[in-house]
């Protein structure tokens, strides 16, 4: 082996594309269907075809890839299904904007021509994110790539719709829905984004019919009063008991409406009397059903006032509000208005204020589907990680409302319903229909609506494996092993997949749900284009390489805690990639002319530090395995990071230089270098696949040609030696103490130092005699005297260690008086800083308002400064003696 195989510095651009192409061509990403292998499967949360890889995608898919690569190496047959989502509203909006640039419109083209344009756009741009996932190193089973509107999935969607209809779980009816006047479509509750907004509360007089007096009603949406069909009060509210059963005159329109009682009314809101507008409010719609009230729709799908709005017909809803308020003032019916914060719902796609509207829509009755899904989690068949997300899931599922699944757009799965114009029969069919099955008429109209995008996504775990056909993939890999996703789609997607999986497969869709963190900027703020703090993963890959980005994301992905990411952190982990590369160069350079012929290590013959590094390696393997199985990815990554950098590079590689120089130790040391380096590469591969594969290629002795299919390391318990770890720990303490003294007094370059180590244990001293050469080499001193008794000499400083006492003579090396003055000044500065931080940590105001991580950071700083102060005090005492 030769270091000539490796360039002096690692260039990811020369490596990444090469290896990804080889992995794909060799078919390493695809399952083998080997009956002797345990199975592991996942489905990718399908990104929108309109999307580009953002930092959230990068985190999500890096986590999945770590699992896929780990399980593949650990002997599992792995299926990781990739795919994209047609993203109904989003994609239609993108294509409509493209058309607008050409002076065209969706309506002008017509439905068929418009859909042709969308498909064309999808073919041109829809796979962009797939290429970006490959750039990230995602080892998806690309032979199984799916799209939510491909033919197989479309068949599954139709099958599910028809079965639910046949079971009475799909219905069409009048219902209050969230409506976007801009996108011209219904929105599910989860597609509405709510935010507090400065608004007003208007107090309006509703005159009593046939007598003096009025009821004062407060509202934040006066334009909807034109659709009022009652005024409601709480039956326990003493102020209004005498009004119940009377009638009032609706201002402006002068429609007579009743005063009713209902416990849902909050006596604390406004005046305690509320207007009831069943066609434009969710709560009022429920009240109307209970009290058989009329439903009067005064706002239409364009956000304009209807004929029912009388003099305000055809006005925009917000223009109507202004004119109506003015008219109420002029008629003396507006008592007052005051500022009031309202929670406004906005369309998640275009940001338009949504309007609750009465509309004919298609719904799934979810309560019968929800109970089995609740039980699956209650009884532990599905586990959420971290576990705290379980409560959020239960809260939503136990209060679930029927799911509005129809959307008034053109791009999507068209609802498989036809209406016969001749006999008015409604036909629900799995196949295309050209004539009425009842009367034979061909005069049919197909339902114009398409299904909610999440309807097809809810079938993703089983539809992607070929359902409703009984495929080998389905019988082998369903249910999937784990779903990796973010918390914001627990309701949109996770819950619905559980409901549909249980209902149509009779099995859970996945055994575990890992909810990963949200990525924020280094200050903990949400990333957004407006703030200018967005980190583009593709830019980071271009700048630092894929492995550096991947390791940064994983190393920071602690369970239940948002990730604070900065470019500086990614750059920092790029240094780790370089460290691995340089370690590889060192190992290869020192394996020249070496051929072990797969011989087993003669453990008993190994020198101390070789035994130690093998023991530490076993502990690392064990912990990495445990943490990967527990989805504690950050701890798995940082375990191998600290082993490789802190133990292997900082200690063993330095010690190995001593061992390699001795003919009797050289061969065994080469064997240990190779063993530890190879094993480290295998541990690192799931996290940083490219650099590890490149280095693996240079090793002449390895179990497999490619590391991607090399066996993941197993713990060799025979190498675990706690006594050796303790002994090495004491030697390291001694070496570090010498280094610290040299650094403190700025004599690092001095290699002709003579140091004394005193210990009363003669056996320990005899043991250390065997390690003197290593100690001298690593501490860079000329001589170390090991003694049982020693009297401190003038000019010597003493450091008490857990295993003995270290004495170093600084005479003629430093100016004692100058050093004492320097240390005194530093001591004063440290004491002032400590007082400042201590006062801050005693300040209740700071403790109550500051984020927990800031408080913890201050405590850590305090601890570090305190330890530094204690060392300074010790140095001062030694110098003054």
């Amino acid at each position: 082996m030769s270091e000539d195989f490796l360039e002096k510095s690692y260039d990811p651009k020369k490596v990444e594309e090469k290896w990804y192409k080889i992995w794909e061509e060799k078919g390493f990403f695809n399952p083998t269907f080997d009956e002797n292998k345990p199975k592991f499967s996942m489905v990718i949360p399908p990104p929108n075809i309109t999307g580009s890889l953002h930092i959230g995608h990068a985190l999500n898919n890096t986590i999945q890839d770590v699992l896929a690569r780990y399980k593949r190496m650990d002997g599992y047959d792995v299926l990781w299904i990739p795919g994209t989502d047609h993203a109904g509203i989003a994609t239609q909006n993108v294509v409509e904007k493209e058309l607008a640039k050409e002076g065209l419109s969706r309506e002008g083209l017509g439905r068929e021509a418009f859909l042709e344009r969308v498909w064309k756009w999808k073919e041109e741009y829809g796979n962009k994110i797939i290429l970006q996932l490959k750039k990230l190193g995602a080892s998806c089973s690309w032979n199984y790539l799916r799209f939510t509107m491909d033919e197989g999935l479309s068949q599954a969607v139709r099958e599910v719709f028809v079965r639910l209809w046949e079971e009475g779980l799909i219905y069409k009816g009048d219902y209050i829905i969230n409506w976007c006047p801009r996108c011209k479509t219904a929105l599910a509750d989860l597609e509405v984004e709510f935010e507090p907004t400065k608004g007003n509360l208007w107090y309006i007089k509703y005159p009593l019919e046939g007598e003096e007096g009025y009821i004062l009603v407060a509202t934040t949406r006066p334009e909807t009063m034109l659709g009022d069909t009652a005024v409601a009060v709480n039956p326990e509210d003493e102020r209004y008991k005498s009004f119940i059963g009377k009638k009032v005159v609706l201002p402006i329109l002068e429609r007579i409406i009743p005063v009713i009682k209902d416990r849902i009314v909050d006596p604390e809101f406004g005046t305690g009397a509320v207007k009831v507008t069943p066609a434009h409010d969710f709560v009022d719609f429920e009240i109307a059903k209970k009290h058989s009230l009329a439903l009067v729709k005064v706002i239409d799908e364009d956000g304009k006032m209807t004929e029912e709005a009388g003099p305000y017909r055809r006005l925009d809803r917000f223009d109507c509000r202004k004119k109506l308020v003015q008219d109420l003032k002029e008629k003396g019916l507006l008592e007052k208005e005051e500022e009031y914060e309202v929670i406004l719902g906005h369309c998640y796609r275009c940001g338009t204020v949504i309007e609750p509207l009465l509309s004919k829509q298609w719904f799934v009755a979810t309560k019968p589907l929800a109970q089995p899904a609740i039980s699956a989690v209650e009884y532990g068949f599905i586990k959420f990680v971290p576990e705290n997300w379980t409560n959020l899931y239960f809260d939503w599922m136990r209060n679930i409302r029927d799911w509005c699944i129809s959307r008034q757009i053109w791009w999507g799965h068209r609802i498989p319903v036809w209406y016969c114009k001749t006999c008015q029969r409604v036909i629900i069919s799995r196949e295309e229909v050209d004539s009425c099955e009842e009367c034979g008429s061909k005069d049919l109209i197909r339902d114009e609506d398409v299904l909610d995008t999440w309807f097809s996504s809810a079938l993703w775990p089983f539809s992607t494996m070929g359902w409703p056909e009984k495929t080998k993939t389905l019988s082998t890999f369903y249910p999937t092993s784990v779903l990796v996703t973010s918390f914001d789609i627990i309701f949109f997607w996770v819950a619905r997949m559980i409901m549909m999986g249980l209902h149509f497969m009779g099995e859970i869709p996945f055994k575990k749900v890992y909810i990963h963190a949200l990525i924020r900027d280094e200050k903990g703020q949400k990333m957004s284009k407006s703030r200018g703090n967005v980190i583009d993963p593709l830019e980071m890959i271009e700048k630092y390489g894929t492995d550096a980005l991947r390791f940064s994301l994983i190393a920071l992905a602690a369970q239940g805690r948002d990730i604070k990411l900065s470019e500086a952190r990614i750059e920092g982990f790029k240094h780790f990639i370089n460290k691995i590369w340089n370690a590889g160069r060192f190992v290869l350079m020192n394996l020249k002319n070496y051929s072990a012929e797969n011989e087993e290590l003669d453990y008993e013959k190994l020198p101390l530090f070789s035994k130690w590094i093998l023991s530490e390696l076993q502990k690392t393997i064990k912990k990495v395995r445990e943490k990967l199985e527990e989805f504690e990815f950050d701890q798995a990554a940082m375990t191998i990071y600290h082993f490789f950098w802190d133990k292997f590079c900082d200690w063993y590689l330095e010690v190995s230089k001593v061992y390699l120089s001795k003919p009797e130790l050289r061969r065994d040391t080469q064997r240990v270098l190779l063993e530890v380096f190879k094993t480290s590469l295998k541990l690192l591969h799931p996290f940083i696949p490219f650099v590890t594969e490149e280095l693996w290629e240079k090793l002449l002795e390895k179990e497999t040609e490619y590391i991607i299919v090399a066996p993941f390391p197993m713990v060799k318990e025979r190498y675990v030696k706690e006594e050796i770890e303790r002994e090495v720990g004491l030697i390291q303490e001694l070496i570090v103490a010498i280094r610290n003294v040299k650094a403190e007094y700025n004599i690092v370059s001095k290699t002709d130092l003579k140091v004394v180590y005193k210990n009363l244990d003669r056996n320990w001293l005899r043991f250390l005699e065997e390690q003197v050469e290593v100690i001298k080499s690593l501490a860079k001193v000329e001589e170390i005297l090991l003694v049982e008794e020693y009297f401190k000499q003038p000019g010597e400083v003493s450091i008490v260690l857990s295993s003995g006492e270290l004495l170093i003579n600084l005479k003629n090396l430093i100016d004692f008086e100058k050093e004492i003055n320097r240390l005194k000044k530093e001591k004063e500065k440290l004491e002032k800083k400590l007082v400042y931080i201590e006062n801050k940590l005693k300040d209740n105001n700071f403790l109550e308002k500051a984020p927990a991580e800031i408080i913890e950071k201050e405590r850590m700083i305090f601890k570090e400064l305190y330890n530094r102060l204690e060392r300074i005090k010790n140095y001062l005492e030694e110098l003054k003696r």
Side-chain angles (χ1 to χ4, degrees), residues 711-727:
F712 200 78
M714 302 289 286
V715 178
K716 296 175 181 175
E717 293 289 350
R718 64 185 181 279
Y719 289 158
V720 179
K721 305 290 181 183
E722 291 185 9
E723 179 58 24
I724 285 174
E725 290 174 22
R726 188 190 70 81
E727 290 166 351

Side-chain angles (χ1 to χ4, degrees), residues 267-327:
E268 302 298 317
F269 174 76
T271 63
V274 298
K275 55 196 271 322
V276 180
T277 319
H280 298 284
D281 185 274
F282 290 98
V283 175
D284 294 0
F285 181 75
E286 297 301 324
I287 292 174
K289 284 201 293 185
K290 280 191 282 182
H291 297 273
S292 302
L293 299 175
L295 309 176
V296 180
K297 186 174 177 179
V298 293
I299 301 173
D300 67 14
E301 285 72 13
D302 294 319
K304 296 188 182 299
M305 306 309 291
T306 67
E307 292 297 319
E308 295 283 359
Y312 307 99
R313 66 180 67 89
R314 291 187 289 282
L315 280 180
D316 176 82
R317 54 184 168 156
F318 296 119
D319 292 337
C320 172
R321 178 182 295 179
K322 292 174 188 173
K323 189 171 189 319
L324 179 60
V325 167
Q326 185 59 39
D327 290 348

